[in-house]
Amino acid sequence: MKRMACSFPEEVLEHVFSFIQCDKDRNAISLVCKSWYEIERWCRKKVFVGNCYAVSPMMVIKRFPEVRSIALKGKPHFADFNLVPDGWGGYVCPWIAAMSRSFPWLEEIRLKRMVITDESLELIAKSFKNFKVLVLTSCEGFTTDGLAAIAANCRNLRELDLQESEVEDLSGHWLSHFPDSYTSLVSLNISCLTNEVSLSALERLLGRCPNLQTLRLNRAVPLDRLPNLLSRCPQLVELGTGVYSTEMRPEVFSNLAAAFSGCKQLKSLSGFWDVLPSYLPAVYPICSRLTSLNLSYATIQSSDLVKLISQCPNLMRLWVLDYIEDAGLDVLAASCKDLRELRVFPSDPFGLEPNVALTERGLVCVSEGCPKLQSVLYFCRQMSNAALNTIAQNRPNLTRFRLCIIEPRTPDYLTHQPLDSGFGAIVEHCKDLRRLSLSGLLTDRVFEYIGTYGKKLEMLSVAFAGDSDLGLHHVLSGCENLRKLEIRDCPFGDKALLANAAKLETMRSLWMSTCSVSYGACKLLGQKMPRLNVEVIDERGPPDSRPDSCPVEKLYIYRTVAGPRLDMPGFVWTMEDDSSLSLE
């Protein structure tokens, strides 16, 4: 390999490397030899950092001096479920400041679960002269004033995506800051905004951007204005509607149907807030072309969903509320043979009694009828081992399976036994499973299955499961490719964590909350594993004010080459090396 590596001119290798986009493959290339390492680092244009505290900005800048695109993640995934306290961290300011000095040619910034201020947005707008893409997914800390700075100064902006972000909406007129000469927009997602936007400014913007392909509106955009907006961008491929209701007027319906019919390239629909079912037939003319349908905010009853989905034979992705019920999933299974991804969300997750007729039967039916199904997220109130076993045998091609039984520790509703064997069947039969979320009544036995068969598993989410440390030991010792493990309300403690300490250095992160890990064990782990940041998160006060045997509230462990972070709030403590401690 070394002889082969040295036999090609650098220009040839650089050209070959440019065709390799996968981060894992690029990382593997850099490890072949020193010359490949140097060539790869100089021609790397895109960098992904899965944890903003795993490496410092200057390390990235030094390693990859020609970067054009960077993606950063901040808070742990459990922040999506309000398990990470406010003020924990994930601040992007140091990254933006460092890149503004070293990467004046930067074109793309993609952030997820990070805190970004208006000042940082203004710095982006002023520092990167050819800036093209800003994606803020589940981010916070900024206002529409910061967006106005981006609009006014980023003359080559192609994509502005604010998916699921929390934006302080100060003014709907920020869209008017795009210059009249601006024409480069390809994708705009403002669905998270709460207040009205200037529709006149939006109409002007859409009318002068001929390459716009994606438009996702917010709830405040009225239905009767949608046809006018669509008439300005008939080339759309993806559309997120605003509110989808108004008093029933024939002229609104006819205008809407004509506008949808005019969008000959449309393949993806989302939005549909506050649906008035009488207006749904307006989209029927384009349904045969749809490959993606996101109805996760649409309170559409099963009968209307059935009519809509039966018109969409080419669907590859469906996100929907549980109003679809088993009957709707039966129709989905019969109509949509190309379905790859299904997500069914709860309409009333805190209700004590079922409000819909959705059971395991609907998911079993989809597993039988949709041979290309690979990814499932399914909220329900009952499940059985028999159903899980059937799903596993029907769909061994599953790569992501997330089952969320709403009531914790719910057993097999037929046998009243734990769901161990059912999930065991999933990991045994689905050989390429990468992501798994567990729920229901589960013992240590299910983790033995996971450790034995989950060899390709990369992310595991666990809640209210297990009997003892043995469950955690099975996972950490058996899952060779595990990168992220998140656990809440489980009886896992010190013994398994300390016995598998070396495994943690091969993972991106481990999150544990309301478990049985003691403060003393956290200190020992921090001593022996200096390449890990072991963070104790405890809002009750300093953990050293209690006995070392006292369990910590939350524990976040992640691999890092940057050392302890410098922006920890008062309720976070990093367990640093202390030579007075010993790990037996």
Side-chain angles (χ1 to χ4, degrees):
M1 175 63 76
K2 185 175 181 180
R3 183 180 300 173
M4 183 183 296
C6 296
S7 63
F8 293 102
E10 288 188 5
E11 294 81 2
V12 173
L13 287 173
E14 184 174 337
H15 182 68
V16 172
F17 292 172
S18 69
F19 292 97
I20 301 172
Q21 302 298 320
C22 174
D23 292 327
K24 288 183 179 179
D25 292 341
R26 294 296 295 244
N27 293 343
I29 285 171
S30 69
L31 298 176
V32 171
C33 61
K34 288 184 178 179
S35 64
W36 281 34
Y37 173 92
E38 285 297 320
I39 296 170
E40 195 282 329
R41 83 180 188 91
W42 278 99
C43 70
R44 177 87 71 110
K45 297 296 189 291
K46 295 184 178 181
V47 169
F48 168 73
V49 180
N51 178 352
C52 66
Y53 294 120
V55 64
S56 72
M58 290 312 301
M59 288 177 176
V60 172
I61 290 168
K62 183 177 180 181
R63 171 79 183 271
F64 304 112
E66 298 294 327
V67 163
R68 300 292 188 275
S69 172
I70 188 162
L72 295 167
K73 288 186 177 182
K75 297 179 184 180
H77 174 248
F78 266 10
D80 291 348
F81 305 97
N82 298 317
L83 293 178
V84 178
D86 289 340
W88 173 82
Y91 303 102
V92 78
C93 179
W95 285 87
I96 302 300
M99 292 188 297
S100 69
R101 295 188 294 267
S102 303
F103 289 160
W105 48 83
L106 193 70
E107 297 177 356
E108 301 182 5
I109 296 177
R110 303 172 189 273
L111 308 178
K112 188 169 186 179
R113 300 189 198 97
M114 298 201 73
V115 179
I116 181 168
T117 64
D118 286 347
E119 289 74 20
S120 290
L121 290 174
E122 291 167 4
L123 188 57
I124 289 171
K126 295 175 181 177
S127 302
F128 310 122
K129 301 307 179 186
N130 195 34
F131 193 69
K132 296 178 180 179
V133 174
L134 180 62
V135 177
L136 305 178
T137 303
S138 301
C139 292
E140 59 182 307
F142 63 104
T143 76
T144 47
D145 287 349
L147 298 178
I150 295 291
N153 294 283
C154 299
R155 302 301 177 94
N156 298 306
L157 191 70
R158 298 177 67 249
E159 181 176 357
L160 178 60
D161 189 337
L162 310 176
Q163 181 180 346
E164 303 288 342
S165 288
E166 295 182 15
V167 187
E168 187 177 354
D169 206 339
L170 301 179
S171 169
H173 293 283
W174 65 274
L175 284 171
S176 63
H177 287 260
F178 282 104
D180 291 340
S181 58
Y182 172 75
T183 61
S184 60
L185 192 63
V186 175
S187 178
L188 178 65
N189 181 356
I190 56 172
S191 59
C192 67
L193 298 181
T194 55
N195 294 335
E196 294 181 3
V197 296
S198 170
L199 292 177
S200 59
L202 180 59
E203 289 174 354
R204 292 194 302 273
L205 177 63
L206 301 184
R208 62 177 184 265
C209 294
N211 297 315
L212 188 69
Q213 294 185 348
T214 298
L215 175 64
R216 293 192 172 96
L217 303 169
N218 71 330
R219 190 173 189 164
V221 176
L223 183 61
D224 57 1
R225 296 296 294 271
L226 183 59
N228 199 29
L229 294 172
L230 292 180
S231 69
R232 283 164 167 75
C233 46
Q235 74 281 0
L236 281 181
V237 177
E238 302 180 40
L239 171 67
T241 75
V243 65
Y244 203 80
S245 63
T246 185
E247 60 180 278
M248 190 59 199
R249 302 200 306 270
E251 68 275 13
V252 174
F253 182 92
S254 59
N255 290 341
L256 195 60
F260 276 119
S261 297
C263 296
K264 303 298 185 183
Q265 308 300 319
L266 205 56
K267 293 183 178 180
S268 175
L269 283 178
S270 59
F272 292 96
W273 283 281
D274 304 325
V275 167
L276 184 65
S278 302
Y279 281 108
L280 283 176
V283 306
Y284 287 177
I286 63 164
C287 282
S288 62
R289 297 196 301 267
L290 293 181
T291 58
S292 177
L293 189 58
N294 181 350
L295 302 173
S296 56
Y297 294 104
T299 54
I300 308 174
Q301 298 304 311
S302 181
S303 58
D304 295 307
L305 281 169
V306 165
K307 294 175 186 176
L308 178 60
I309 290 170
S310 62
Q311 305 277 335
C312 305
N314 294 309
L315 271 189
M316 299 173 66
R317 184 179 77 159
L318 176 64
W319 293 14
V320 66
L321 290 173
D322 54 14
Y323 291 121
I324 192 170
E325 299 187 328
D326 290 341
L329 293 176
D330 289 346
V331 172
L332 178 69
S335 305
C336 305
K337 298 302 180 181
D338 282 338
L339 192 72
R340 267 79 161 176
E341 178 182 354
L342 173 66
R343 298 191 185 188
V344 179
F345 299 94
S347 56
D348 184 21
F350 304 109
L352 298 178
E353 296 296 330
N355 63 320
V356 292
L358 182 88
T359 69
E360 81 291 349
R361 191 180 69 80
L363 184 56
V364 169
C365 189
V366 172
S367 74
E368 292 172 347
C370 302
K372 298 179 182 179
L373 188 67
Q374 294 180 318
S375 178
V376 169
L377 170 62
Y378 198 76
F379 283 81
C380 61
R381 292 180 180 270
Q382 67 178 50
M383 186 54 63
S384 69
N385 284 305
L388 288 169
N389 187 67
T390 300
I391 293 165
Q393 295 192 40
N394 287 339
R395 293 279 61 80
N397 50 315
L398 284 173
T399 59
R400 294 173 178 83
F401 187 77
R402 292 185 284 168
L403 177 65
C404 304
I405 304 174
I406 291 174
E407 183 63 30
R409 301 188 178 93
T410 298
D412 181 322
Y413 79 100
L414 296 174
T415 67
H416 304 291
Q417 295 298 306
L419 292 167
D420 298 336
S421 63
F423 279 105
I426 294 289
V427 293
E428 181 179 0
H429 290 282
C430 304
K431 304 295 186 184
D432 291 322
L433 196 68
R434 299 297 200 277
R435 185 170 182 179
L436 177 64
S437 294
L438 304 176
S439 59
L441 181 62
L442 299 165
T443 71
D444 286 345
R445 186 181 173 206
V446 75
F447 299 106
E448 184 177 2
Y449 287 130
I450 292 171
T452 301
Y453 298 111
K455 299 306 180 183
K456 293 185 178 180
L457 197 64
E458 296 178 354
M459 183 172 179
L460 176 63
S461 302
V462 182
F464 304 98
D467 303 314
S468 68
D469 266 2
L470 189 58
L472 180 59
H473 175 73
H474 285 313
V475 171
L476 291 176
S477 62
C479 297
E480 300 166 358
N481 288 297
L482 193 65
R483 295 186 301 112
K484 295 173 70 175
L485 175 59
E486 48 189 28
I487 304 168
R488 59 166 298 187
D489 295 275
C490 295
F492 304 148
D494 300 349
K495 186 176 180 181
L497 190 64
L498 296 177
N500 295 278
K503 170 66 177 177
L504 300 176
E505 285 192 337
T506 71
M507 297 167 53
R508 184 188 298 172
S509 64
L510 166 66
W511 171 277
M512 300 179 74
S513 57
T514 321
C515 294
S516 300
V517 178
S518 71
Y519 178 57
C522 295
K523 291 196 292 185
L524 290 174
L525 191 62
Q527 174 209 357
K528 285 297 182 180
M529 311 302 289
R531 287 181 291 184
L532 296 176
N533 270 1
V534 181
E535 291 189 4
V536 171
I537 304 169
D538 204 322
E539 295 180 281
R540 300 171 298 182
D544 57 8
S545 65
R546 295 178 290 276
D548 278 5
S549 58
C550 184
V552 298
E553 275 191 341
K554 299 178 176 73
L555 175 64
Y556 185 43
I557 302 172
Y558 54 91
R559 184 179 58 199
T560 182
V561 293
R565 60 188 177 105
L566 303 177
D567 60 357
M568 289 183 298
F571 53 80
V572 176
W573 292 265
T574 296
M575 305 295 103
E576 300 184 51
D577 184 17
D578 185 340
S579 58
S580 66
L581 300 174
S582 63
L583 178 61
E584 297 180 358

